[in-house]
Amino acid sequence: MTTAMPQFFDYKPPLDPFLSVIHADADLLVVDKPSGLLSVPGKAPEHADCVESRCRGVHANSRIVHRLDMDTSGVMVLAMNPAAHRHLGLQFERRKTRKTYIADVWGQLDTDTGEVDLPLICDWPNRPKQMVCHENGKAALTKWQVIDRSDRTTRVRLFPHTGRSHQLRVHMLALGHPILGDRFYAEGDALTASGRLALHAESLELHHPTGGERVTFHSPCPF
């Protein structure tokens, strides 16, 4: 029998640093989100602390443009005015941004590069989990490159060409190599091998809303 994920969970977001700003100007606020912090408020009052609320506490006009999973760390960009919000939103919608992630996965990938082209859909009885569905899923493409190998794990750089929910997590699972510490998709040693989800948004490249210059923001991998 399948059951829905609980709406309430033990939410203890990290407090130090409270907000790590990578870059700020009249249009952009770029932050380094820690693992364990929601991007936007949850439904329950105790889940109000999030990237959005912390940023607005310092920069009242900042607005969320995209999200990272609670367990994922790394680069997030917020807009500082309505025009920048529209500009950035269109870039994400039209896939004009370029994102790279670092992940530690369980096992040894057979080759040093590859891609996963598998459509995804919400696993509704087990939401927020996602699953591969060739009949009704939305197109999802991830390219990957091995960075390092150890006895039991592989470090990869991931290049998502689409932005589906849990895309990287499900695509790595589909290869037979779940991301370490993934409480939704990993089991056994793969789950216990890391105290956190070993997935980090390493860089984000986009067009600056003023002038259109291509800019890239980085966050060093914390694991």
Side-chain angles (χ1 to χ4, degrees):
M1 174 180 287
T2 55
T3 57
M5 296 298 294
Q7 182 177 349
F8 299 97
F9 55 94
D10 187 18
Y11 183 46
K12 295 179 180 178
L15 299 175
D16 185 23
F18 188 74
L19 183 65
S20 180
V21 176
I22 297 172
H23 172 86
D25 61 34
D27 294 310
L28 305 177
L29 176 62
V30 185
V31 300
D32 191 354
K33 188 188 91 66
S35 176
L37 179 66
L38 290 166
S39 292
V40 297
K43 294 182 179 180
E46 58 267 32
H47 302 160
D49 186 15
C50 61
V51 171
E52 184 179 52
S53 64
R54 291 187 184 188
C55 288
R56 286 190 170 182
V58 179
H59 301 277
N61 295 326
S62 60
R63 298 176 62 189
I64 284 285
V65 178
H66 66 121
R67 304 181 187 186
L68 292 177
D69 293 343
M70 184 184 79
D71 295 336
T72 304
S73 57
V75 180
M76 279 187 65
V77 63
L78 293 87
M80 296 289 270
N81 57 68
H85 191 267
R86 287 192 297 272
H87 194 285
L88 292 168
L90 284 172
Q91 289 190 59
F92 279 95
E93 180 182 333
R94 296 172 180 174
R95 299 174 188 166
K96 300 298 185 182
T97 63
R98 177 177 168 83
K99 295 171 280 187
T100 67
Y101 290 75
I102 298 291
D104 288 336
V105 302
W106 186 253
Q108 295 289 335
L109 288 106
D110 294 335
T111 60
D112 288 339
T113 61
E115 65 177 46
V116 186
D117 187 359
L118 292 172
L120 302 176
I121 195 172
C122 180
D123 183 1
W124 191 250
N126 297 296
R127 59 192 183 277
K129 292 180 70 174
Q130 308 292 308
M131 64 181 184
V132 174
C133 178
H134 293 281
E135 291 77 23
N136 300 307
K138 294 182 178 180
L141 174 63
T142 302
K143 296 187 178 183
W144 54 267
Q145 180 181 38
V146 171
I147 301 172
D148 193 20
R149 297 178 183 271
S150 65
D151 291 340
R152 301 198 300 169
T153 66
T154 306
R155 175 159 291 198
V156 292
R157 182 167 281 116
L158 304 174
F159 308 93
H161 287 248
T162 49
R164 308 301 179 198
S165 179
H166 289 193
Q167 175 178 319
L168 303 178
R169 301 163 78 161
V170 178
H171 276 178
M172 291 299 100
L173 177 69
L175 286 179
H177 301 283
I179 297 176
L180 305 187
D182 191 335
R183 60 194 177 96
F184 289 131
Y185 303 103
E187 298 178 349
D189 291 341
L191 176 61
T192 59
S194 175
R196 55 156 287 180
L197 176 69
L199 179 63
H200 179 73
E202 177 189 37
S203 71
L204 174 61
E205 180 182 337
L206 50 81
H207 292 283
H208 196 283
T210 299
E213 178 186 0
R214 200 72 175 164
V215 292
T216 306
F217 304 100
H218 297 271
S219 166
C221 184
F223 53 82

